[in-house]
């Protein structure tokens, strides 16, 4: 196929093929189970899907993909639907589908969509590559000949329909196919096939004008195609047909025939279905959909600004009315005083202003009416777009069947997967972002959670572990739950790993409760695996889950029961589109909180607030709820509360799932539609921020992540945060010996340390790793210590990070230059050995 044409068709082909692969994989796994209870249409529908995918790949000249799908099709052809599909066959087919997905990924990247390891895949599927199969092989060629016949029958079905879009094009394509088949048959000596092919070509030509003659010709063509099918089953015509098929696939077919019924062997059935509900849908690029959604959201924001200006206009109208009243009063007083030259101009001006006021009032009414209509249209458009972006959760759940199958086979474990909630619809952006986190959670459950067959048997459990993945609607939010019935998370093992990896000291780890220790699995780089394997041990996984949840304005939590299993719950909103936001003020900062998380706003009396077990709580409706100043929760300086002076305190009750927390606020500013915007990579680590929004008056306000605020307010979470927030120190020196010595000294004192060989390397570390203090040499290649200090102190986020310069330069001028560059401390290297470094570190960064 022409490369340019392939590029234009590829996006639609790629999207359709991925859907077909997902459906094929699910149905193949369904055939592995017992025949009882199986859907009656499971095998026929699977064959239709496979044949359709093969036809699509063939029409685009994608030989590798076509060969793999053809091998899967042949494997299904000999399968007895009353039996189970053999395990080896299922695994080979799933590997084939994964290989096709890899080829599709290469095609998406603009590369050639070749299938890696094609020969071994075909061998596993009971086939050989196309190069190894002679073109004269009767069985394979006969099957290919039937494909050509399917195309001719599809063309006949299309021409028999009353509303053919381009009759001449359909006839021309059918004649070309029939005569190509004739030529190939003649060269192979299959005279009967050649004669019937020519008769079919002539019959198609007679059908072009339409009318009664076309009906008679159609009858003749139908009879000819029946005879042609019989001839194709003869061994003599197989080689000719194989070459005909190859010739037909070398050039693309006109769109009308492909649109009519070229997707499968169903012929007229396919044509009939194409005029059903499928014709009422179109494929839309996600990028285009996102662009339209953004424009609608901007339209709504503009409408909010228009409403605000309308309110300001009404205020001006009221002011104008008062001015007119004063002018009329002045005119009356002037008339009673005997008038004068100014009376008539004044009365004329008042009359003119009355007329202008009436016109402005009419314009205001019309503007308000048009604005209300525009609001309604924009709201309907937003709701429709939201529905377009809402897709069933099954799109992310069903592919997990293959993941579980492949992972459990690699780890030699028996796993039963249970999926539920696939009908729940959620935002496509959330669905796409969930794919990797769900893969991590499922693989983690199989590798770490579920025991081996022998261990389960010894524990009196069923040999097959149970893994449940479900999507639960919770009002305007959803919960994605991944739960296993394994041995349960081991807090002692997590504590030991945290100590070994330097996240906690042994004493700090012992102080953690089991729930606090469990939260450590979300730390970056955390893994209880001692050795790296294909499944785990790299320390990448659950931190990705947490980061993704926070980016999607949600949170993730873990619960476990020893010996019975572990449950991970990801709490997320249903959609990321524009939402209603409550604007609250704390001090001078105005923030937006998604209204769906705000249970209510209330006022607390001093008697309602107290202390229980060292934490501040408030009594509300018979419950004792955690009470925190919102300013403290989002990292702002703690300001005095109204309660401190014995006054009534405003508070917002935030609810996420079953968790409730009261946050002290100063004032509710208002409520309006907000469009949440990303804050970029520099602020993605700020967990309590979901993004930012532009208000209708042009102000930019932070949008708070309610789920993360509520989770972080739990007593055990606040405790573990204090325990794990140990200062990390960056040591930078180009001399390995000096660097190692300072690192050892600080680690013995209990500080986690990271090292760098020069200023540039240190700067790169600071950009991606939070460090609370920097100890740096002065003289280094690329970027010296003074340059590093200046860069740190000029950075908007890092300027408060203390930096200590350690150098052999001891002159007063050198000290002055270092301190002028922003250094908070200055040491000569010989003072390090005398303990001055630790003293200075403790002064600038006391141990918590």
């Amino acid at each position: 196929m022409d490369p340019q044409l392939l590029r234009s068709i590829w996006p639609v082909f790629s999207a359709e093929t991925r859907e077909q692969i997902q459906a094929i994989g699910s149905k193949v796994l369904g055939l592995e189970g017992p025949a009882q209870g199986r859907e009656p249409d499971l095998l026929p529908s699977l064959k239709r899907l496979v044949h359709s995918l093969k036809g699509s790949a063939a029409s685009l000249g994608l030989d590798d993909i076509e060969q793999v799908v053809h091998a899967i099709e042949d494997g299904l052809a000999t399968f007895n639907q009353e039996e189970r599909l053999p395990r080896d066959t299922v695994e080979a087919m799933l590997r084939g589908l994964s290989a096709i997905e890899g080829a599709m990924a290469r095609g998406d990247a603009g590369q050639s969509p070749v299938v890696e390891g094609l020969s071994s895949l075909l061998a596993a599927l009971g086939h050989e590559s196309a190069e190894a199969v002679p073109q004269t092989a009767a069985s394979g060629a006969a099957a290919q000949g039937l494909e050509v016949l399917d195309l001719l029958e599809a063309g006949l079905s299309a021409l028999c329909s009353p509303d053919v879009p381009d009759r001449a094009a359909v006839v021309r394509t059918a004649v070309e196919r029939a005569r190509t088949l004739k030529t190939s048959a003649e060269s192979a000596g299959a005279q009967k096939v050649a004669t019937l092919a020519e008769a079919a070509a002539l019959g198609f030509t007679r059908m072009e004008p339409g009318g009664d003659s076309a009906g008679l010709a159609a009858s003749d063509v139908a009879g000819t195609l029946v005879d042609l099918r019989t001839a194709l089953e003869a061994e003599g015509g197989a080689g000719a047909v194989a070459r005909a098929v190859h010739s037909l696939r070398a050039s693309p077919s006109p769109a009308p025939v492909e649109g009519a019924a070229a997707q499968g062997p169903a012929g007229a059935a396919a044509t009939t279905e194409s005029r059903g509900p499928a014709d009422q849908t179109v494929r839309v690029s996600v990028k285009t959909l996102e662009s339209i959604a953004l424009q609608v959201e901007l339209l709504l924001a503009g409408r909010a600004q228009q409403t605000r200006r309308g309110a300001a206009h009404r205020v001006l109208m009221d002011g104008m009315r008062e001015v007119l009243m004063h002018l009329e009063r002045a005119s009356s007083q002037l008339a009673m005083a005997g008038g004068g030259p100014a009376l008539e101009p004044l009365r004329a001006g008042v009359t003119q202003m009355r007329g202008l006021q009436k016109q402005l009032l009419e314009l205001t009414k019309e503007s308000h009416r048009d604005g209300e209509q525009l609001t309604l249209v924009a709201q309907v458009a937003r709701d429709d777009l939201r529905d377009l972006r809402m897709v069933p959760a099954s799109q992310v759940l069903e592919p997990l069947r293959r993941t579980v199958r492949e992972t459990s086979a690699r780890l030699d474990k028996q796993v039963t997967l249970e999926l539920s909630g696939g009908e729940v619809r959620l935002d496509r952006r959330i669905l796409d972002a969930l794919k990797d986190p769900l893969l991590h959670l499922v693989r983690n459950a199989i590798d770490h959670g579920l025991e081996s067959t022998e261990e389960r048997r010894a524990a009196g459990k069923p040999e097959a572990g149970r893994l449940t993945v479900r999507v639960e609607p919770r009002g305007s939010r959803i919960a994605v739950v991944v739960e296993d019935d394994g041995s349960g998370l081991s807090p002692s093992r997590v504590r030991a790993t945290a100590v070994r990896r330097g996240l906690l000291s042994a004493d700090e780890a012992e102080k953690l409760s089991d729930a606090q220790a469990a939260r450590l699995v979300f730390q970056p780089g955390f893994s209880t695996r001692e050795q790296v394997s294909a499944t785990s041990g790299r320390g990448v996984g659950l931190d990705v889950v947490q980061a993704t949840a926070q980016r999607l304005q949600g949170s993730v939590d873990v619960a476990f029961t020893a010996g019975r299993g572990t449950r991970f719950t990801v709490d997320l909103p249903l959609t990321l589109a524009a939402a209603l936001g409550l604007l609250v003020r704390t001090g001078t900062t105005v923030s937006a909180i998604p209204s769906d998380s705000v249970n209510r706003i209330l006022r607390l009396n001093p008697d309602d607030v107290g202390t229980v077990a060292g934490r501040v709580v408030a009594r509300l409706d018979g419950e004792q709820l955690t009470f925190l100043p919102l300013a403290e929760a989002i990292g702002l300086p703690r300001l005095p509360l109204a309660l401190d002076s014995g006054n009534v305190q405003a508070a917002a009750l935030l609810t996420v799932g079953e968790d409730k927390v009261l946050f002290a606020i100063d004032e509710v500013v208002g409520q309006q539609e907000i469009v949440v915007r990303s804050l970029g990579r520099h602020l993605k680590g700020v967990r309590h921020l979901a993004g930012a929004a532009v208000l209708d008056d042009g102000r930019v306000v932070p949008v708070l992540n309610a789920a993360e605020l509520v989770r972080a307010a739990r007593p055990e979470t606040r405790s573990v945060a204090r325990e794990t927030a140990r200062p990390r120190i960056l040591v930078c020196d180009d001399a390995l010996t000096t660097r190692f010595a300072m690192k050892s000294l600080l680690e013995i004192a209990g500080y986690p340390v990271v090292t760098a060989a020069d200023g540039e390397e240190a700067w790169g570390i600071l950009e991606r790793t939070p460090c609370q203090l920097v100890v740096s040499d002065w003289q280094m290649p690329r970027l010296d210590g003074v340059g590093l200090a200046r860069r740190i102190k000029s950075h908007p986020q890092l300027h408060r990070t203390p930096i200590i310069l350690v150098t052999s330069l001891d002159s007063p001028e050198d000290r002055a230059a270092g301190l002028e560059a922003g250094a908070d401390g200055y040491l000569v290297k010989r003072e390090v050995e005398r303990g001055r470094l630790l003293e200075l570190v403790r002064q600038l960064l006391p141990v918590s």
Side-chain angles (χ1 to χ4, degrees), residues 560-610:
F560 64 94
T561 303
R564 297 179 59 184
T566 307
R567 181 177 67 252
F568 287 90
T569 304
V570 184
D571 178 88
L572 297 169
L574 274 173
T575 177
L576 296 177
L580 199 61
L582 184 73
L583 305 177
V584 299
R585 179 180 63 81
T586 53
T588 59
T589 301
V590 176
S591 306
I593 306 174
S595 295
D596 58 6
S597 300
V598 182
N599 186 291
R600 56 175 155 157
I601 302 296
L602 63 154
R603 294 184 177 276
L604 296 174
N605 294 311
D607 294 340
D608 296 329
V609 180

Side-chain angles (χ1 to χ4, degrees), residues 599-600 602 618-625 653 660 662:
N599 186 291
R600 56 175 155 157
L602 63 154
R619 288 185 296 274
L620 180 65
D621 298 335
E623 293 184 83
Q624 290 184 340
L625 304 177
L653 175 60
K660 299 177 182 179
L662 276 166

Side-chain angles (χ1 to χ4, degrees), residues 396-450:
V396 74
L397 293 181
E398 288 299 327
L400 295 177
R401 296 188 187 276
R402 288 167 53 200
T403 300
V404 170
R405 177 59 184 264
E406 293 168 359
T407 306
S408 59
R410 184 167 59 248
L411 297 175
D412 195 23
K413 293 183 178 181
Q414 297 182 39
V415 181
T416 301
L417 176 64
E418 298 176 4
L419 301 177
S420 62
E423 72 284 353
V424 178
R425 300 178 68 84
L426 58 156
D427 196 310
R428 178 61 181 260
R429 290 174 294 178
I430 293 179
L431 197 74
D432 290 341
L434 266 179
K435 290 179 180 177
D436 285 344
L438 267 181
L439 285 176
H440 286 305
L441 288 173
V442 166
R443 288 171 177 162
N444 181 78
I446 299 173
D447 190 19
H448 295 273
L450 295 175

Side-chain angles (χ1 to χ4, degrees), residues 27-253:
K27 291 178 183 295
V28 166
L29 289 172
L31 289 177
E32 188 183 21
Q36 293 79 9
R38 188 186 293 166
E39 297 178 10
D41 191 46
L42 182 60
L43 182 59
S45 63
L46 174 57
K47 288 183 176 180
R48 286 195 296 270
L49 278 170
V50 172
H51 195 81
S52 177
L53 177 55
K54 185 178 71 170
S56 299
S59 65
L60 296 181
L62 304 177
D63 295 334
D64 286 11
I65 296 177
E66 181 200 357
Q67 288 185 62
V68 175
V69 180
H70 184 63
I72 294 175
E73 184 180 41
D74 280 358
L76 294 172
T78 59
F79 171 62
N80 183 353
Q81 61 180 352
E82 300 300 325
E83 300 175 353
R84 293 189 179 192
L85 198 61
R87 182 183 180 88
D88 293 343
T89 303
V90 171
E91 292 180 355
M93 289 181 177
L94 294 180
R95 285 202 305 273
L97 294 175
S98 298
I100 294 174
E101 284 184 328
M104 299 303 297
R106 282 184 281 278
D108 292 341
Q111 303 171 6
S112 178
V114 296
V115 174
E116 292 185 351
L118 179 62
S119 298
S120 60
L121 274 174
L122 294 177
L125 290 165
H127 263 234
E128 297 181 12
S129 63
E131 293 78 4
V133 178
Q135 288 286 351
T136 57
S139 58
Q144 291 176 330
L146 293 176
E147 292 179 22
V148 179
L149 184 59
D150 288 338
L151 296 177
L152 294 176
E153 289 176 346
L156 177 61
S157 299
L159 291 170
C160 290
S161 303
D163 54 349
V164 183
D166 190 346
R167 191 176 191 87
V170 175
V171 168
R172 185 169 58 253
T173 302
V175 170
E176 288 175 358
R177 283 175 169 158
R179 287 191 170 149
T180 302
L181 178 57
K182 171 199 170 186
T183 303
S184 300
E186 287 177 342
S187 62
Q191 192 57 46
K192 186 174 182 179
V193 173
T195 302
L196 291 171
E198 176 61 22
L202 293 173
F204 276 115
T205 303
R206 288 162 48 205
M207 292 183 67
E208 183 172 355
D212 295 337
S213 61
L216 295 173
S219 178
D220 293 340
V221 171
T224 302
L225 294 182
V226 171
D227 294 338
L228 183 58
R229 181 177 294 277
T230 303
L232 286 173
E233 294 174 355
E235 185 175 344
V241 173
R243 285 187 291 277
V245 173
H246 180 75
S247 176
L248 287 172
R249 289 174 180 168
S251 58
S253 304

Side-chain angles (χ1 to χ4, degrees), residues 173-343:
T173 302
V175 170
E176 288 175 358
R177 283 175 169 158
R179 287 191 170 149
T180 302
L181 178 57
K182 171 199 170 186
T183 303
S184 300
E186 287 177 342
S187 62
Q191 192 57 46
K192 186 174 182 179
V193 173
T195 302
L196 291 171
E198 176 61 22
L202 293 173
F204 276 115
T205 303
R206 288 162 48 205
M207 292 183 67
E208 183 172 355
D212 295 337
S213 61
L216 295 173
S219 178
D220 293 340
V221 171
T224 302
L225 294 182
V226 171
D227 294 338
L228 183 58
R229 181 177 294 277
T230 303
L232 286 173
E233 294 174 355
E235 185 175 344
V241 173
R243 285 187 291 277
V245 173
H246 180 75
S247 176
L248 287 172
R249 289 174 180 168
S251 58
S253 304
V257 173
E258 297 299 330
Q263 289 297 318
T271 305
T272 303
E273 290 176 1
S274 68
R275 295 190 185 88
D279 269 351
Q280 306 303 315
T281 62
V282 294
R283 292 187 183 275
V284 180
S285 165
V286 174
K287 184 178 180 181
T288 302
L289 194 61
E290 292 297 329
S291 176
I292 296 174
L294 176 61
Q295 302 311 314
V296 172
E297 290 170 0
L298 292 176
L299 175 63
L300 285 165
R303 173 58 189 145
Q305 293 177 349
Q306 184 184 12
T307 302
R308 186 171 175 273
R309 292 191 182 97
H313 185 260
R314 286 191 293 273
V315 172
L316 291 176
M317 289 288 293
D318 293 340
M320 183 178 181
R321 188 180 301 108
E322 290 187 9
V323 170
L324 273 173
M325 291 175 58
H326 287 304
L327 289 176
E328 288 178 340
R329 190 178 297 114
S331 175
S332 299
Q333 292 174 352
L334 187 60
M336 292 175 62
L343 180 59

